[in-house]
Amino acid sequence: MKTGDQGEYLYGKAQDVLWDEEFYEYARYPKMLDYVESFIGPNVMGMHSMFINKQPDIGTNSFRHPDHQDLHYFPFRPANLIVAAWIACVLITVNNGCLYVLPGTHTGDLYPHTYPEPKDESLIYLY
């Protein structure tokens, strides 16, 4: 954050938002919990929570997020009981930085973080 930032540019990320009553309601969103439970069962625990404010692109592809596997950030296992979930608070598209999945990468080794090419056909975009 640089001095003078205002409005949507003021904050980029807030960590541990489950301690906030309003954000905690997002983590308890029934439809999302149904999906998470379909993968790991009903014993769901929030381990890492954040609100990320991805500011609009300023013409420099700043909307891009590096390819990564969330498992890099979690020091606990077993991996088959870890689910990452997110809720978009605004309309998202490929052009403003939606998330995407590279099928099969959940079954092998962890890969180094890289930046994707725009509209890579091997990816499944989530929006």
Side-chain angles (χ1 to χ4, degrees):
M1 177 172 66
K2 60 186 183 294
T3 305
D5 285 345
Q6 297 178 17
E8 65 188 355
Y9 296 96
L10 187 57
Y11 292 102
K13 186 184 297 184
Q15 298 281 352
D16 299 321
V17 297
L18 289 180
W19 298 111
D20 178 89
E21 288 182 36
E22 190 71 30
F23 282 115
Y24 185 61
E25 290 304 312
Y26 283 100
R28 297 178 60 215
Y29 182 62
K31 189 170 184 176
M32 184 178 68
L33 285 176
D34 287 345
Y35 284 114
V36 171
E37 288 177 357
S38 75
F39 291 108
I40 64 170
N43 189 15
V44 176
M45 179 186 303
M47 297 302 296
H48 181 67
S49 61
M50 69 175 86
F51 175 80
I52 300 173
N53 178 26
K54 293 179 70 177
Q55 293 85 7
D57 183 39
I58 55 173
T60 60
N61 286 333
S62 61
F63 65 88
R64 293 173 65 199
H65 192 74
D67 286 349
H68 71 281
Q69 293 158 298
D70 286 346
L71 198 56
H72 270 292
Y73 304 107
F74 302 136
F76 43 86
R77 298 293 185 271
N80 66 327
L81 294 179
I82 299 172
V83 175
W86 64 279
I87 299 173
C89 297
V90 297
L91 180 65
I92 55 171
T93 68
V94 170
N95 295 325
N96 72 357
C98 69
L99 294 181
Y100 49 87
V101 175
L102 183 57
T105 57
H106 67 290
T107 62
D109 296 329
L110 294 176
Y111 297 97
H113 294 191
T114 60
Y115 282 91
E117 293 301 317
K119 298 197 178 192
D120 183 332
E121 296 302 321
S122 65
L123 303 175
I124 297 173
Y125 293 92
L126 308 174
Y127 55 94

